[in-house]
Amino acid sequence: MIDTVLNMLQENDLCVLCTESQGMPHCSLMTYLLGPEGNSLFLVTSVNSRKYNNLMENKNVSVLIDSRQNLEAGLIHPIKSVTFDGEFSEVDQTQLEAIRTEFLAQHSELEEIFVRDDCKIFNVRLKSYLLLDGPVQVYQGTLKI
């Protein structure tokens, strides 16, 4: 099942990032870059956003990725989804420019965010997963990549 999880991470670039503060969840649709080892995501936000403030308070997150982006029109496929438990961290300053360049090469629509002074690239290390393959098949595991 780990191959399915890794394929989903590689084939997608949208996720739902779930953060929490004072018992209140907050979900954000995000574009991501997969880290080189396949067990982390790079994301970008404003330091003035609710999600970033939540991350400063609680580094534990949940990330949802699903197969809807890659379904062929007209064909019936069970939707797969994978939910990760993850942990927020700052990006090493030496990596920032390379990540920024790759983000813009793959997602030029994010240029409007990257020109802002309050733009922040951050990392989520993915620790464990829950894969749903259709409505009843469930698989769990950890990412030891």
Side-chain angles (χ1 to χ4, degrees):
M1 284 301 108
I2 191 69
D3 290 338
T4 301
V5 171
L6 293 174
N7 286 340
M8 287 181 69
L9 283 167
Q10 292 167 348
E11 293 171 358
N12 288 284
D13 58 9
L14 288 176
C15 69
V16 177
L17 174 70
C18 301
T19 61
E20 181 272 338
S21 173
Q22 299 178 15
M24 293 300 297
H26 178 69
C27 296
S28 304
L29 184 62
M30 306 283 292
T31 301
Y32 69 86
L33 287 179
L34 184 60
E37 281 113 36
N39 64 349
S40 66
L41 305 178
F42 294 109
L43 303 108
V44 62
T45 190
S46 163
V47 296
N48 298 313
S49 67
R50 180 174 173 186
K51 80 177 83 59
Y52 191 76
N53 289 325
N54 288 358
L55 292 167
M56 294 293 97
E57 184 178 319
N58 181 349
K59 64 183 178 178
N60 296 308
V61 301
S62 183
V63 175
L64 173 74
I65 297 170
D66 66 41
S67 62
R68 287 178 291 171
Q69 267 186 288
N70 300 318
L71 294 180
E72 295 179 41
L75 296 178
I76 298 174
H77 298 282
I79 293 177
K80 295 178 185 176
S81 68
V82 61
T83 302
F84 297 93
D85 290 327
E87 185 175 73
F88 160 83
S89 67
E90 300 282 349
V91 172
D92 185 325
Q93 293 294 317
T94 61
Q95 295 179 297
L96 281 177
E97 191 55 37
I99 295 168
R100 181 185 182 284
T101 300
E102 188 172 345
F103 249 119
L104 288 172
Q106 292 186 30
H107 302 286
S108 59
E109 72 276 10
L110 296 178
E111 185 173 1
E112 190 174 342
I113 291 176
F114 279 104
V115 298
R116 296 175 52 155
D117 291 336
D118 64 347
C119 172
K120 183 76 166 187
I121 298 171
F122 64 94
N123 185 6
V124 170
R125 184 176 57 87
L126 306 172
K127 299 189 290 187
S128 62
Y129 66 86
L130 176 70
L131 172 66
L132 296 172
D133 189 356
V136 295
Q137 297 294 325
V138 179
Y139 307 93
Q140 296 182 61
T142 57
L143 290 174
K144 296 179 182 176
I145 303 168

